[in-house]
């Protein structure tokens, strides 16, 4: 059991690190391109007519892969914590979290379904580089499947914690 848990933790860390690196690289490139665009507006030495396409791609990747990385580590914004802290019973607290995770799962599945559908149905390409829109949209279903998988994981953890609230983690 410990080997399995260790392997799953390694997978979690690997996926998290990949998502973090993609997000950071996207942010770094966005910063450079936006700075270059501001500079070129004042000193028109070259044309950045392709600027919008790359910015759109990098911004989408940064936002969706970054949010998926936060989802893995449960560091994303959560509104329900103030209610959870007011529940004195440990089992009820975990049950409350499990119910919240089920509601979140409904939205995560809907997000994954519609983003996958959008990606599959995308037929056009960008104007300058002729990048298929599927490449631009691919971050949506990939992050969506990560949302679904880790929400299911959270539901399982909360159910286990509801049944055995004081077990060693």
């Amino acid at each position: 059991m410990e080997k399995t848990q260790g392997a799953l933790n390694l997978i979690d860390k690997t996926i998290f690190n990949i998502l973090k690196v993609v997000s950071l690289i996207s942010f770094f490139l966005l910063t450079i391109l936006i700075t270059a665009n501001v500079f070129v507006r004042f000193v028109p030495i070259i044309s950045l007519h392709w600027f919008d396409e790359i910015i759109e791609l990098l911004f989408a990747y940064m936002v969706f892969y970054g949010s998926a990385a936060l989802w893995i580590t449960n560091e994303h914004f959560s509104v329900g914590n103030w209610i959870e802290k007011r529940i004195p019973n440990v089992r009820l607290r975990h049950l409350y979290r499990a119910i919240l995770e089920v509601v979140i799962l409904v939205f995560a599945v809907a997000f994954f379904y519609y983003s996958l559908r959008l990606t599959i149905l995308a037929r056009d390409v960008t104007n300058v580089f002729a990048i298929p829109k599927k490449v631009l949209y691919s971050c949506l279903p990939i992050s969506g499947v990560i949302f679904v998988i880790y929400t299911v994981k959270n539901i399982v953890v909360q159910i286990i914690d509801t049944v055995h609230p004081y077990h060693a983690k």
Side-chain angles (χ1 to χ4, degrees):
M1 183 70 170
E2 288 183 28
K3 281 187 177 182
T4 304
Q5 187 65 33
L8 290 175
N9 287 340
L10 180 63
I11 291 170
D12 286 350
K13 286 179 184 176
T14 303
I15 294 171
F16 172 76
N17 286 330
I18 290 169
L19 293 170
K20 186 170 77 170
V21 166
V22 170
S23 298
L24 289 172
I25 289 172
S26 297
F27 178 74
F28 178 72
L29 292 174
L30 272 169
T31 304
I32 289 172
L33 288 174
I34 290 172
T35 303
N37 190 43
V38 170
F39 179 76
V40 167
R41 286 181 186 233
F42 291 106
V43 183
I45 52 178
I46 59 171
S47 171
L48 298 177
H49 63 282
W50 48 267
F51 175 79
D52 292 341
E53 289 181 15
I54 302 303
I55 292 295
E56 186 178 352
L57 178 93
L58 291 173
F59 191 75
Y61 279 31
M62 180 187 70
V63 167
F64 287 102
Y65 289 141
S67 61
L70 291 174
W71 205 269
I72 290 172
T73 58
N74 283 320
E75 294 177 5
H76 53 80
F77 178 73
S78 176
V79 178
N81 289 345
W82 67 275
I83 295 174
E84 179 182 338
K85 292 176 182 172
R86 294 174 186 241
I87 301 173
N89 186 302
V90 166
R91 288 178 192 234
L92 288 177
R93 201 174 315 137
H94 290 297
L95 182 61
Y96 167 76
R97 283 301 306 168
I99 291 168
L100 279 181
E101 292 291 340
V102 168
V103 172
I104 291 167
L105 180 63
V106 170
F107 287 103
V109 167
F111 173 76
F112 170 70
Y113 171 77
Y114 286 107
S115 63
L116 181 64
R117 188 167 178 251
L118 173 71
T119 304
I120 290 171
L121 295 177
R123 302 273 182 249
D124 50 344
V125 296
T126 60
N127 294 331
V128 177
F129 290 117
I131 300 169
K133 290 283 187 159
K134 289 181 185 211
V135 172
L136 177 68
Y137 299 153
S138 67
C139 61
L140 296 163
I142 291 171
S143 61
V145 76
I146 291 171
F147 296 156
V148 169
I149 290 169
Y150 283 91
T151 303
V152 169
K153 174 192 164 207
N154 292 341
I155 292 169
V156 171
V157 166
Q158 293 304 324
I159 290 171
I160 290 170
D161 287 347
T162 301
V163 176
H164 304 292
Y166 302 107
H167 75 284
K169 291 184 181 180

